[in-house]
Amino acid sequence: MKCEQGDLAKIIHSIRPENIGKHVVVEEYIGHLQQGELFVFRGITCKAIITDHYWWVSSDYGLKGLFGESPKLYIPDSWLEPIRPTLGVTSTEDELDLIV
């Protein structure tokens, strides 16, 4: 899995093109579901689009679901790209002088 609970992530693939590029919070792991597998959330039957690990994600605004705008959606892990800080990480091979 690419994501972990609590991650900030970007949607890189979605059934609804308007969700692509949106930033979301990865809230809760649903489980590994097979394509076509059904699960129930708050009385609503949900269906796995592909075989993958699934997450509940949220955003303050702008997510589009089956029934219009929604603050929370379920999405496959592979359709998310985690956004993690890179503080303290160097991307060059330069030697660093450390003062001790």
Side-chain angles (χ1 to χ4, degrees):
M1 285 190 301
K2 296 191 300 183
C3 292
E4 297 176 5
Q5 187 171 355
D7 277 349
L8 179 63
K10 182 168 106 176
I11 298 174
I12 58 172
H13 185 75
S14 177
I15 292 174
R16 304 222 180 273
E18 58 267 38
N19 287 335
I20 296 173
K22 301 269 174 89
H23 290 181
V24 295
V25 175
V26 179
E27 285 195 348
E28 184 179 354
Y29 180 65
I30 297 169
H32 187 269
L33 303 173
Q34 299 296 316
Q35 182 177 6
E37 189 173 344
L38 302 175
F39 66 100
V40 178
F41 176 73
R42 295 187 182 169
I44 298 173
T45 301
C46 304
K47 184 178 183 179
I49 304 302
I50 63 170
T51 298
D52 201 346
H53 295 274
Y54 278 78
W55 294 98
W56 283 110
V57 299
S58 67
S59 179
D60 289 337
Y61 65 92
L63 295 177
K64 303 289 186 199
L66 183 61
F67 302 110
E69 195 156 323
S70 176
K72 192 175 214 177
L73 297 174
Y74 67 94
I75 191 165
D77 184 76
S78 62
W79 292 9
L80 297 168
E81 187 64 44
I83 301 168
R84 297 196 176 111
T86 57
L87 295 176
V89 176
T90 181
S91 60
T92 66
E93 293 184 13
D94 295 338
E95 288 188 30
L96 300 176
D97 290 327
L98 301 177
I99 300 173
V100 201

